[in-house]
Every structure is written in structure tokens, then in C-alpha cells.
């Protein structure tokens, strides 16, 4: 099943929003990432086909933007901000806590494929630092305990 | 063109066209502002920051809107607070530029220090070493020491194949994006891009097949460091060991100017071509060449080159002979006999002229023809209504129409593809394509006509009136055409219809208008021009004499066959006498391109074995048949030819060897500006006037009836760049492409 087979209606809607196909490259990559969990080589070629771009050009877009994943991620992608305001509120120590809790380093995925931990640059919620996004959903004013609870909850939801 | 902008650079006044950037304006007065990312043939991006200069504009009084002047009347310059990139800043009236202040010199020094933080400095093993912009500019402007920690240098992969022809060294790359922009903006093959960002940014290809482009070799010329190298030349020689000889590519009708870089090899004890580089000719190939032209040269030193005359012995075997015996045998057989001569369209003008003279002046009963035969059927029309003498593809743009009929520009004439594509995409010429299949050029067409296989001539004859009416309002009309899937009669009919369109729309015999034939090789027009019109003999003849003939269908039936060749081809293997010829690299001569530019090429290598140039062989036989020819070299043959051939009147080796200053200047000390393409030594050649341009020529319409579709012609394979052949087969680096295209053709 290709992306075209699975999400043809969504693809049509996305393509119809732009005067040229190439403009749809980013929303289509998000769609592909949603479908496959990451921007696989296959996904990149499919998007290239849909946008009439060379796969090299699509690969370059994926490589430039940090929110496109080039490798398989865990079911939950936890992105903790460690930029300056968050760091002032203890983000570095918080990231270490997360690493200990999950048993992986930032940038890695847990062996059970459940969680990927990443550090990111500012995600525009400095007033409630430290802050993280879990599959794009904001979690504010995080504490070690709160994090442990969240992880345990997410583990239980499967 | 009166729209000139006046500015001063380091106090020196200069006037340049509006829109020009400071780097180019400075170049006009030989002020070499260092650059890495800027290239005069590419759009500026301002990425490398090497070209920072101090820029000011006349101060304007906000109240009066007048230029503020000092007591002695000079405008006061308002200097910009920070340095500007000279490659992205266009000139403006009254602008002042300083390129030699301490601030500017410091900026250059600092940018270089940054670029070198993670550069491997492996110049001693780098192919670019000796002609490297980074090396040269570091010496001129850079620091002798680095303040960065040596241990903190980033190390990256050094041998990344981007395709089978180009290798990337990731740690040498300085991310100037010249290669990306060349592929995007000039070649239109979007096969290279940046990946990631910041310190991790690198060049990648994700295409399938990777780096698939006919023009990839050019990226290694414009790469300002040793990041991109060709599979053919990497680790083969140092640039300073190479001799350079001006030459002309023999593989398509464009006639790209090239330089043959040769070196004496201790291993083999002889000279070899180490690489082929583009030689600047802004009228022909600018500073580009295609990958076939760059990599096909290996045939010149192939191990199976013929090195001795061969004569068939009593037992029917071809055995080595002496020149004297072989020449005498040919002369004896040809004397008084019915001789049918065939000459290939790669052979130089001088050889073809003597071969033609042999049949018109020396042999009593003979006829001579060109191989392949199909172009010979329409080369007179292509010549008569060919592009005007002063045609310049760079002038084509808005208001002009380019009509491409029955041919694939990129496959048949790659550099014409680049240049005509730019006329359409960058300068707004209108493109109309009529063909039986799609091609890369179709991307830019505003109108596409698709006809059935083999129906090109029919289409053209039916559309003549309509197209002529449509094209009447065009400023210029360039008609590119090929002979795919057509018989000789069909191709002639097509050419005639297209000539009619030029006449009827009022564009015959004008500069920037005319026919542009997609001939199969570099000298199709030249060989045709040299041969006398003779009636082709049919049936079996006494002697067949073949000079560089590759097509078995063009070989006449004969009792005795003489072949002049580089290799023991199937045709040569069936001959009675095989005479070893010299390749274009081993002799002097001239070619006439598809747009009738006559260009000289020069001897770069000593001849192999006992091989002799074709003109010499022909002359030696002619002498034995009683001719009084005494030519000592090709210049004398050319001079004699120019006296008798009206098209070439006034041309001589002296006129052809003239070079003019070219813009942009390349190949000088400032390799960082234009890349490593060679500047033009050896001459830019000269285009002879098309007959239709000359007074007294009768440009009248001729009615055309397209002949029926030729079933045999339908079997002809469409021309592709890497089509298998005797020469390309001997280039190992291209063999993968040759196999792939053969396979594609078989399955088509």
C-alpha cells in the first residue's frame, strides 16, 4: 500500500491548496510521517512523485527541518527544550532525569520502541519552562515526578 | 545599451551595464575580488562571505533630496556601516567601492580562517592542488596559522561516489553550492542538494540513479575546492604536470572547444590524455562540455588501436605489411578501376577535401559519398538556410521562437540543449516542439505537437502555411531538426518544408534565425561541404575505399576493399587492405560544426605506432596514381581548399586560430572566478555565411510532397548520447551508461 492508496483524499486536499505541486512538499511530508512514523526513503520517493520533484530535493527538505524524522522513532516522541530560558529553569538536569527514567540518551529510542527522547531548540513556551512536546502536544512546567507519572501513564495506554 | 552605471572602485571610475554586481564590475578593471560561491554563470547567493567589500553611495540631503557635495563639488559618500557582499550587491549610480581597506583585508582573512577550521588541508594528495581556488586564496589572503584547535577538526567521508562519474570528498567541501546551482539552473537535473544544516550541512544525492546528469563533469570544474572530482581523473595526475592542447570535441554537431591535457607516462613510455577540459568559446560551448565529450577520450590510447598497415595474404589472413607495399597495392588496384569511396562524418575537412579531390581530379571512374548517407540527403538545405553568420544563441530571448522538430536536443547536442534552454527559461524565448516522443526539452515548451512515428516530414509539409503565419511576427526563428525515423527522402522533405517555413515567415538568411541540424557527428557539415557532387555508383564496383566508415549499410559491394581506420572494426576485418589512421588528438585539422563554424584542432599526442593521418594516406595513394600533390601539412590542404570551395573563401588557419577576449574571463590566475575551464587559445573559429544570406541567392519556396513512411527507417534507434559505438565502448568510466542505454533501446 502506498501513501497514494492509503491517503488519497488527504493528498488531494493538500495538493488543491497550492498553485504548484512543489509547494505541497511539507504538508505531504507531514502526512507521510504521520502514516509511516518517520520520513522513510520510500516515503520521500512517494512525496517526490506526488510533487513532481526530484527525490534529492525532497530529501533536502527533510534534512533541513528538525521536525521531520529520518529514522524510525518510538511510538511517543518526547522533545524537551534545552534552550536558554528552559536551561535557566533547570532543563539540563531535567533532561538527565528523563534519560535515567527512560534508560536511553537524548536522541535515542527505548528498546521496546515506545519512546524517543530528543532535545530541541525553543518551542515558544518559555513562560512555563521547562517544557516538552510529546507527539507535538505541549507539557508545561515539568517536574521529575510529573515526567515519571506521564511516562508510566503512556506505558499503560497501549 | 546606453544604460550604463558609473561608479568608482578604489577610486578608479568604471561604467558598467545596469544590474551588474560589484564583483563583475571590478573584474572589468582587473580588480579581482576573491569569491568562492559566486560564479559569473550562476545566480548569486552570497553564501561564502569571501567577497565582502566596503560600499558607499552618494549622501542625499533629506530636505532637498539633492546629493550633498563637498566644497570642491565632489559628492559626499555615505559608507554603509558594515561590509557588503560584492557578489549580491548590484552597482548603482555614483557608488563607491573600497576593496583594499584594512577592514576588507581582515574580513577576507577571517572568512578564510573559518573556512579552514575543518578543511582537511590534504593538498598534497588532492586533485585540485595546483589549480585550487581555496589554496590560491589562502595564500593570497588567508592566515598562516589557525586559532582553532586542530583536535576539534571535523572529519567526514572522503570517497563518496555521487554517481559512477563523480566523487565527493565531504571534508573538503566548503558548502558554496556551486554544484547544486549548476545542476538546478543550468543542467536542470536536480540531483544534488544540501542535507542538514549548520556544521552538519553536506552535499547529498538521493536520486535514482544517483547524480544522473549528462553535465556532471562541469561541477568538478566550478567546484572551488577538491570536493568534487571525476572518476576518470582522480588521483591520475597533478595539474602542473599536464600539457594543454586546444582541440575540438568530435562527438556531436556542437563542436565544443576543449583542451586536451596530456602527460608523458613513464609506465607506458608514451603520451596519454589524462583529462579533457572545456575550453572557453562563448559562441559555442561557453565554459561547458558534456560528460561524453569529457570521458570518451580513452579510445585514443586503446590497446587495440591499429598500429601497422594490414594486407590480406594468399591464405586470406590480414597480416602486417609496410606502408610502401600497402600504398602501392591500393594504387595498383585503383588505377583505371571503378572505385566507390565512402568517408565518415567524423573525418576532418582536410582529409575529406583530398578524398573528394581524388575522385574529381585523379581517379577516372569513381564516385564518393558520405557515411551516414541520410544527412547527406539534406545537408545542402541545412547549409543554404542555416543560421545566419552572426547568430549568437545568447541573443535569443523574448520575442523569438525556437522550433524543435523530430529530434532530442539533450541526447543529440547536449550543449545546445543547455544554451537553448536558457534562451527559453531565462530569457523568455518561445519554444514549440514537434516530435514522436517526449524529451527533456518538452519541459519548457509552450506548445507541443506529437505525431506518429516516422511522420515528421508529413507533419511539416502539412503545417507549413499555418506555422509560417504563426512565426511571421516572431523576431527570430530558430528551427532545430533531426532525422530520426526518416529515410533519406523523408529527411530531405522535412528539411525542405522547414526551409519553406523560414522563407514564408520572412526569416531566411538572417542572423539568429535559420535551420540548426542535429547531425550525428562533429564534421557532418564539413565532410559534406568537401565532397564533389558525384553520382552514387550502384551495384558491385572494383574497389571500395572506406575512410572512417562505421555503418555497414554504407559499404559498397566490391572485389577489393580498402579501409582507413583506428580499429580493426567488423568492416576493417573484412577488408583487403587496412591502413592505420591517426585519431583527432594525434594530428592537426579542422571541423565544421552543425552551425557551420569552422574550427581548428591541434596535435596533442604523438601518433601511435605507424599510424598516419588520413589526408597523408590519401595523398600518398594519389601520388602513386600520378597526382602532383605536395602537401606538407593540413594548413596547406586547407589553404588550397579555401581557394576552390566558395563557402570557405577567405578562411585560413590564421583566421581560424584568432581568439578574442571573452566575457566572463576564465582560466587565468583567478581560477576562483570562472573555474578550471581553459581560456581560449587556439582560436574561436569562424562561421561561414549561409548561402541564403548572400545577395543573388534565390530563396524561393519549393513545393514538398512527403514520401511514404519508410518501414526500414522506423527500425532506426533514436539517437542517445551514450549510444554504443567503436569509440565510446573503449571508455571504461562510461561503459555502465553505454550498457544501460543499449538495454533501454533493446527493450523499447
Amino acid at each position: 500500500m502506498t501513501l497514494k492508496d492509503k491517503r488519497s483524499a488527504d493528498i488531494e486536499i493538500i495538493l488543491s491548496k497550492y498553485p504548484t505541486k512543489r509547494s505541497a512538499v511539507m504538508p505531504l511530508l507531514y502526512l507521510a510521517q504521520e502514516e509511516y512514523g518517520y520520513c522513510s526513503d520510500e516515503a520521500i520517493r512517494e512525496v517526490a512523485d506526488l510533487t513532481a520533484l526530484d527525490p534529492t530535493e525532497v530529501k533536502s527538505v527533510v534534512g533541513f527541518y528538525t521536525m521531520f524524522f529520518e529514522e524510525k522513532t518510538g511510538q511517543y516522541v518526547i522533545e524537551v527544550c534545552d534552550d536558554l530560558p528552559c536551561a535557566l529553569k533547570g532543563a539540563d538536569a531535567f533532561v538527565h532525569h528523563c534519560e535515567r527514567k527512560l534508560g536511553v540518551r537524548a536522541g535515542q529510542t527505548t528498546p521496546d520502541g515506545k519512546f524517543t527522547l530528543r532535545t530541541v531548540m525553543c518551542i515558544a513556551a518559555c513562560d512555563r519552562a521547562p517544557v516538552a512536546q510529546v507527539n507535538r502536544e505541549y507539557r508545561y512546567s515539568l517536574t521529575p515526578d510529573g515526567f515519571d507519572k506521564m511516562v508510566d501513564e503512556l506505558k499503560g495506554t497501549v | 545599451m546606453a544604460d550604463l552605471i558609473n561608479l568608482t572602485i578604489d577610486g578608479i571610475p568604471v561604467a558598467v551595464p545596469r544590474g551588474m554586481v560589484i564583483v563583475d564590475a571590478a573584474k572589468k578593471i582587473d580588480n579581482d575580488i576573491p569569491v568562492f560561491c559566486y560564479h559569473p554563470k550562476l545566480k548569486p547567493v552570497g553564501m561564502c562571505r569571501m567577497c565582502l567589500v566596503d560600499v558607499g553611495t552618494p549622501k542625499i540631503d533629506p530636505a532637498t533630496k539633492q546629493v550633498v557635495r563637498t566644497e570642491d563639488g565632489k559628492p559626499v559618500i555615505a559608507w554603509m556601516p558594515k561590509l557588503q557582499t560584492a557578489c549580491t550587491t548590484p552597482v548603482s549610480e555614483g557608488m563607491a567601492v573600497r576593496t583594499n581597506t584594512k577592514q576588507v583585508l581582515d574580513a577576507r582573512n577571517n572568512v578564510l580562517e573559518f573556512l579552514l577550521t575543518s578543511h582537511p588541508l590534504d593538498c598534497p594528495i588532492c586533485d585540485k592542488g595546483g589549480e585550487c581556488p581555496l589554496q590560491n586564496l589562502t595564500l593570497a589572503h588567508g592566515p598562516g596559522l589557525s586559532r582553532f584547535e586542530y583536535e576539534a577538526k571535523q572529519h567526514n567521508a572522503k570517497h563518496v561516489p555521487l554517481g559512477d562519474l563523480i566523487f565527493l570528498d565531504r571534508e573538503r567541501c566548503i558548502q558554496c553550492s556551486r554544484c547544486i546551482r549548476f545542476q538546478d539552473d543550468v543542467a536542470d537535473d536536480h540531483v544534488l542538494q544540501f542535507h542538514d544544516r549548520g556544521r552538519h550541512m553536506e552535499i547529498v544525492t538521493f536520486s535514482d540513479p544517483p547524480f544522473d546528469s549528462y553535465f556532471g563533469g562541469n561541477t568538478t570544474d566550478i567546484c572551488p575546492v577538491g570536493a568534487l572530482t571525476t572518476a576518470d581523473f582522480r588521483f591520475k595526475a597533478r595539474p602542473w604536470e599536464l600539457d594543454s592542447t586546444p582541440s575540438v570535441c568530435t562527438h556531436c554537431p556542437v563542436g565544443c572547444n576543449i583542451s586536451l591535457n596530456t602527460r608523458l607516462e613513464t609506465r607506458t613510455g608514451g603520451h596519454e590524455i589524462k583529462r579533457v577540459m572545456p575550453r572557453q568559446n562563448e559562441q559555442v560551448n561557453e565554459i561547458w562540455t558534456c560528460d561524453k565529450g569529457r570521458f570518451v577520450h580513452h579510445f585514443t590510447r586503446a590497446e587495440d588501436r591499429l598500429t601497422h598497415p594490414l594486407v590480406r595474404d594468399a591464405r586470406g589472413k590480414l597480416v602486417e605489411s609496410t606502408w610502401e607495399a600497402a600504398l602501392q597495392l591500393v594504387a595498383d588496384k585503383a588505377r583505371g578501376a571503378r572505385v566507390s569511396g565512402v568517408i565518415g562524418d567524423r573525418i576532418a575537412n582536410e582529409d575529406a577535401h583530398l578524398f573528394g579531390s581524388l575522385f574529381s581530379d585523379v581517379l577516372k571512374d569513381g564516385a564518393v559519398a558520405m557515411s551516414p548517407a541520410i544527412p547527406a540527403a539534406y545537408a545542402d538545405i541545412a547549409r543554404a538556410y542555416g543560421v545566419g553568420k552572426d547568430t549568437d544563441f545568447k541573443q535569443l530571448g523574448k520575442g523569438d521562437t525556437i522550433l524543435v522538430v523530430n529530434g532530442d536536443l539533450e541526447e543529440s547536442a547536449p550543449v545546445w540543449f543547455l544554451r537553448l534552454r536558457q534562451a527559453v527559461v531565462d530569457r523568455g524565448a518561445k519554444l514549440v516542439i514537434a516530435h514522436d516522443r517526449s524529451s527533456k526539452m518538452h519541459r519548457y515548451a509552450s506548445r507541443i505537437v506529437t505525431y506518429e512515428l516516422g511522420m515528421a516530414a508529413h507533419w511539416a509539409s502539412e503545417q507549413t502555411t499555418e506555422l509560417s503565419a504563426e512565426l511571421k511576427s516572431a523576431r527570430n526563428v530558430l528551427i532545430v531538426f533531426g532525422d530520426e525515423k526518416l529515410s533519406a527522402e523523408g529527411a530531405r522533405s522535412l528539411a525542405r518544408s522547414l526551409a519553406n517555413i523560414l522563407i514564408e515567415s520572412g526569416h531566411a538568411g538572417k542572423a539568429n534565425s535559420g535551420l540548426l541540424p542535429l547531425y550525428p557527428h562533429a564534421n557532418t557539415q564539413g565532410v559534406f561541404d568537401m565532397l564533389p557532387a558525384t553520382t552514387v555508383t550502384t551495384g558491385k564496383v572494383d574497389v571500395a575505399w572506406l575512410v572512417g566508415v562505421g555503418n555497414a549499410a554504407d559499404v559498397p559491394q566490391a572485389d577489393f576493399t580498402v579501409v582507413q581506420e583506428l580499429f580493426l572494426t567488423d568492416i576493417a576485418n573484412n577488408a583487403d587492405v587496412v591502413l592505420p589512421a591517426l585519431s583527432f588528438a594525434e594530428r592537426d585539422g579542422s571541423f565544421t560544426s552543425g552551425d557551420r563554424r569552422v574550427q581548428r584542432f591541434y596535435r596533442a599526442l604523438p601518433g601511435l605506432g605507424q599510424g598516419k593521418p588520413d589526408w597523408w594516406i590519401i595523398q600518398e595513394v594519389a601520388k602513386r596514381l600520378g597526382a602532383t600533390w605536395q602537401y606538407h601539412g593540413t594548413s596547406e590542404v586547407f589553404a588550397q581548399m579555401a581557394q576552390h570551395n566558395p563557402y570557405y573563401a577567405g578562411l585560413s588557419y590564421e583566421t581560424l586560430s584568432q581568439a578574442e577576449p571573452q566575457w566572463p574571463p576564465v582560466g587565468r590566475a583567478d581560477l576562483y572566478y570562472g573555474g578550471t575551464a581553459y581560456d581560449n587559445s587556439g582560436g574561436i573559429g569562424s562561421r561561414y555565411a549561409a548561402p541564403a544570406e548572400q545577395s543573388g541567392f534565390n530563396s524561393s519556396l519549393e513545393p514538398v510532397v512527403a514520401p511514404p513512411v519508410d518501414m526500414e527507417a522506423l527500425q532506426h534507434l533514436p539517437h542517445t548520447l551514450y549510444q554504443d559505438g567503436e569509440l565510446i565502448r573503449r571508455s571504461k568510466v562510461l561503459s555502465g551508461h553505454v550498457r544501460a542505454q543499449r538495454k533501454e533501446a533493446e527493450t523499447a
Side-chain angles (χ1 to χ4, degrees):
Chain A
M1 285 278 274
T2 62
L3 194 61
K4 223 171 176 170
D5 299 329
K6 285 190 242 179
R7 305 292 292 268
S8 67
D10 294 321
I11 292 168
E12 280 312 308
I13 291 167
I14 291 170
L15 286 174
S16 69
K17 286 182 187 167
Y18 302 95
T20 57
K21 284 181 178 178
R22 70 178 287 141
S23 306
V25 65
M26 293 197 31
L28 286 174
L29 281 170
Y30 277 120
L31 189 77
Q33 186 159 288
E34 202 177 293
E35 194 58 43
Y36 295 107
Y38 72 113
C39 291
S40 61
D41 288 0
E42 183 197 354
I44 288 170
R45 293 194 192 282
E46 284 182 48
V47 171
D49 196 39
L50 290 168
T51 50
L53 290 171
D54 193 286
T56 301
E57 293 174 297
V58 180
K59 178 80 174 171
S60 177
V61 173
V62 172
F64 183 82
Y65 293 101
T66 54
M67 283 161 74
F68 291 128
F69 306 129
E70 288 181 273
E71 279 163 23
K72 212 168 171 57
T73 62
Q75 188 184 351
Y76 297 100
V77 180
I78 303 172
E79 295 176 295
V80 185
C81 174
D82 65 347
D83 221 350
L84 185 61
C86 284
L88 292 173
K89 295 281 272 181
D92 283 350
F94 180 70
V95 171
H96 284 307
H97 174 81
C98 301
E99 289 179 335
R100 273 196 304 277
K101 170 71 183 169
L102 295 173
V104 293
R105 292 221 169 270
Q108 295 178 337
T109 301
T110 55
D112 61 358
K114 210 89 192 173
F115 298 101
T116 298
L117 180 68
R118 302 175 87 213
T119 54
V120 291
M121 293 297 192
C122 188
I123 48 177
C126 311
D127 57 326
R128 285 184 271 177
V131 65
Q133 280 186 317
V134 180
N135 284 1
R136 304 276 177 270
E137 198 179 298
Y138 277 93
R139 305 288 172 121
Y140 302 107
S141 308
L142 287 163
T143 60
D145 286 349
F147 181 79
D148 292 354
K149 210 176 141 209
M150 177 187 84
V151 167
D152 294 338
E153 270 171 20
L154 290 175
K155 267 186 182 165
T157 55
V158 184
Chain B
M1 288 308 285
D3 199 10
L4 287 179
I5 301 290
N6 295 287
L7 69 156
T8 62
I9 299 172
D10 295 338
I12 300 168
V14 53
V16 295
R18 181 182 296 281
M20 189 176 261
V21 293
I22 296 172
V23 168
D24 289 346
K27 191 65 64 181
K28 291 273 185 193
I29 52 167
D30 290 330
N31 182 333
D32 297 333
I33 297 175
V35 293
F36 288 114
C37 71
Y38 180 73
H39 189 282
K41 297 274 182 194
L42 303 173
K43 291 181 191 114
V45 286
M47 291 176 76
C48 74
R49 320 310 284 176
M50 190 61 203
C51 65
L52 291 171
V53 289
D54 205 5
V55 180
T57 48
K59 190 172 187 176
I60 307 288
D61 185 324
T64 62
K65 309 274 186 236
Q66 294 297 309
V67 173
V68 181
R69 289 179 188 277
T70 58
E71 277 172 17
D72 53 0
K74 283 191 185 151
V76 174
I77 297 296
W79 294 95
M80 295 186 196
K82 286 185 175 180
L83 299 179
Q84 305 293 310
T85 45
C87 74
T88 56
T89 312
V91 295
S92 65
E93 191 62 34
M95 179 183 271
V97 178
R98 290 192 294 222
T99 69
N100 53 7
T101 62
K102 179 160 190 313
Q103 206 190 358
V104 171
L105 299 179
D106 282 352
R108 291 175 183 174
N109 189 284
N110 294 342
V111 168
L112 275 165
E113 190 180 4
F114 259 123
L115 287 175
L116 295 175
T117 54
S118 267
H119 192 80
L121 293 174
D122 58 347
C123 311
I125 57 148
C126 179
D127 289 308
K128 205 80 170 190
E131 55 179 16
C132 174
L134 183 61
Q135 200 176 37
N136 293 353
L137 290 178
T138 299
L139 210 61
H141 305 285
L145 292 167
S146 176
R147 287 171 291 171
F148 291 88
E149 280 177 46
Y150 184 76
E151 299 306 321
K153 263 187 194 269
Q154 212 170 276
H155 288 289
N156 289 313
K158 292 190 74 67
H159 309 284
V160 183
L162 290 178
D164 53 355
L165 298 175
I166 309 291
F167 279 79
L168 169 66
D169 183 314
R170 287 207 201 281
E171 53 179 13
R172 289 182 192 153
C173 177
I174 59 166
Q175 286 91 34
C176 71
S177 84
R178 275 184 177 180
C179 54
I180 296 176
R181 287 177 286 142
F182 173 83
Q183 288 300 134
D184 281 355
D185 300 342
V186 182
D188 200 18
D189 295 321
H190 307 256
V191 293
L192 294 180
Q193 282 296 331
F194 281 134
H195 184 261
D196 217 323
R197 45 168 130 169
R199 203 81 170 138
H200 304 293
M201 192 155 83
E202 55 188 26
I203 302 285
V204 296
T205 183
F206 196 64
S207 307
D208 188 24
F211 204 163
D212 187 24
S213 176
Y214 284 164
F215 305 100
N218 295 300
T219 62
T220 66
D221 294 341
I222 59 175
C223 179
V225 294
L228 294 177
T229 50
T230 68
D232 195 36
F233 181 65
R234 65 197 313 255
F235 308 134
K236 292 282 161 56
R238 310 315 307 268
W240 59 84
E241 301 167 339
L242 300 172
D243 291 318
S244 167
T245 308
S247 192
V248 175
C249 183
T250 67
H251 299 278
C252 90
V254 176
C256 285
N257 290 204
I258 52 174
S259 277
L260 301 179
N261 278 176
T262 54
R263 188 177 79 166
L264 182 65
E265 291 300 297
T266 46
R267 185 174 47 86
T268 54
H271 284 78
E272 279 182 21
I273 295 177
K274 302 310 285 186
R275 65 174 180 180
V276 173
M277 297 291 272
R279 177 171 59 110
Q280 185 178 32
N281 189 336
E282 291 296 318
Q283 289 289 318
V284 180
N285 54 309
E286 304 185 17
I287 57 169
W288 314 125
T289 185
C290 75
D291 287 353
K292 182 180 186 182
R294 195 183 291 265
F295 299 127
V296 76
H297 62 86
H298 294 274
F299 69 88
T300 56
R301 279 295 178 266
E303 280 177 5
D304 57 346
R305 274 278 302 275
L306 290 169
T307 53
H308 291 81
L310 303 175
V311 173
R312 201 165 290 283
D313 69 5
R315 288 168 301 156
K317 278 187 76 176
L318 279 175
V319 292
E320 278 182 20
S321 175
T322 62
W323 272 110
E324 185 48 49
L327 293 168
Q328 194 58 50
L329 177 61
V330 175
D332 291 344
K333 290 285 181 183
R335 192 175 295 109
R338 240 179 125 215
V339 185
S340 182
V342 185
I343 181 165
D345 61 348
R346 279 182 209 274
I347 303 300
N349 287 330
E350 294 73 10
D351 314 48
H353 170 67
L354 285 194
F355 201 52
S357 304
L358 181 79
F359 283 86
S360 55
D361 306 344
V362 181
L363 293 169
K364 299 282 180 298
D365 181 11
V368 61
M370 181 172 80
S371 168
I374 291 174
Y378 61 84
D380 58 328
I381 300 173
R383 176 175 64 198
Y385 297 95
V387 293
K389 181 174 165 49
D390 295 324
T391 296
D392 178 1
F393 289 171
K394 282 187 189 166
Q395 305 290 327
L396 293 173
K398 212 160 176 54
D400 302 329
T401 299
I402 299 171
L403 178 62
V404 179
V405 185
N406 204 40
D408 184 330
L409 258 172
E410 198 195 24
E411 298 288 351
S412 300
V415 170
W416 281 350
F417 163 83
L418 291 188
R419 306 192 72 207
L420 295 178
R421 176 191 167 273
Q422 288 188 323
V424 177
V425 175
D426 296 346
R427 298 193 296 274
K430 185 181 168 187
L431 175 66
V432 179
I433 298 186
H435 203 183
D436 56 37
R437 63 196 159 92
S438 190
S439 73
K440 190 164 151 193
M441 202 68 182
H442 278 62
R443 292 179 195 171
Y444 328 109
S446 46
R447 192 153 73 84
I448 292 167
V449 180
T450 310
Y451 45 70
E452 296 284 303
L453 275 189
M455 295 295 281
H458 292 80
W459 174 80
S461 67
E462 287 157 15
Q463 297 294 313
T464 304
T465 318
E466 206 173 299
L467 272 170
S468 304
E470 183 187 329
L471 295 173
K472 234 170 214 152
S473 57
R475 192 176 57 165
N476 299 300
V477 175
L478 183 73
I479 305 183
V480 187
F481 71 103
D483 57 22
E484 288 180 6
K485 307 283 178 194
L486 294 176
S487 63
E489 298 75 32
R492 185 172 180 82
S493 155
L494 172 64
R496 191 58 240 182
S497 293
L498 298 176
N500 284 349
I501 290 170
L502 285 171
I503 297 165
E504 215 171 315
S505 65
H507 293 98
K510 287 187 176 166
N512 300 323
S513 287
L515 298 182
L516 192 61
L518 294 174
Y519 288 137
H521 296 117
N523 204 33
T524 313
Q525 187 66 58
V527 169
F528 180 83
D529 291 344
M530 297 302 132
L531 298 186
T534 53
T535 326
V536 177
T537 43
T538 48
K540 202 168 179 183
V541 292
D542 300 323
V543 176
W545 189 339
L546 314 171
V547 183
V549 175
N551 187 358
D554 296 335
V555 177
Q557 287 223 335
D559 293 328
F560 188 84
T561 303
V562 184
V563 166
Q564 297 176 209
E565 252 307 345
L566 297 179
F567 300 102
L568 196 63
T569 59
D570 289 346
I571 292 172
N573 207 15
N574 286 322
D576 298 286
V577 175
V578 182
L579 304 170
L582 293 184
S583 74
F584 80 112
E586 297 157 322
R587 44 163 294 178
D588 292 89
S590 69
F591 293 133
T592 305
S593 69
D595 59 333
R596 305 186 327 285
R597 179 173 288 269
V598 189
Q599 305 189 102
R600 282 184 69 180
F601 60 91
Y602 299 79
R603 180 176 183 267
L605 295 174
L608 202 66
Q610 295 180 15
K612 294 284 184 187
D614 287 308
W615 66 267
W616 181 92
I617 301 171
I618 295 160
Q619 167 167 269
E620 286 304 310
V621 177
K623 280 180 184 170
R624 285 166 177 77
L625 291 169
T628 54
W629 300 353
Q630 285 292 341
Y631 300 110
H632 298 92
T634 49
S635 64
E636 291 177 11
V637 181
F638 191 92
Q640 200 272 346
M641 180 277 293
Q643 275 178 25
H644 295 90
N645 192 315
Y647 305 110
Y648 293 72
L651 296 180
S652 70
Y653 265 27
E654 287 72 34
T655 55
L656 299 182
S657 63
Q658 303 293 314
E660 289 169 7
Q662 311 254 312
W663 181 267
V666 303
R668 309 182 312 185
D670 55 343
L671 292 174
Y672 53 85
Y673 181 67
T676 47
Y678 280 70
D679 55 346
N680 194 301
S681 67
I684 57 171
S686 180
R687 182 187 285 130
Y688 68 78
E693 285 180 279
Q694 290 166 326
S695 56
F697 185 82
N698 181 20
S699 285
S700 56
L701 295 170
E702 278 179 32
V704 176
V705 179
V709 171
D710 187 287
M711 288 305 154
E712 197 203 313
L714 289 186
Q715 304 303 313
H716 296 168
L717 292 176
H719 188 85
T720 57
L721 189 65
Y722 297 132
Q723 206 158 46
D724 195 8
E726 289 292 339
L727 305 186
I728 198 168
R729 202 177 295 157
R730 288 168 170 85
S731 173
K732 266 192 204 128
V733 283
L734 290 175
S735 59
H737 294 275
V738 174
R739 269 198 309 276
Q741 292 199 344
R742 194 194 303 141
K743 215 169 160 189
E744 218 169 274
E746 278 165 6
T747 51

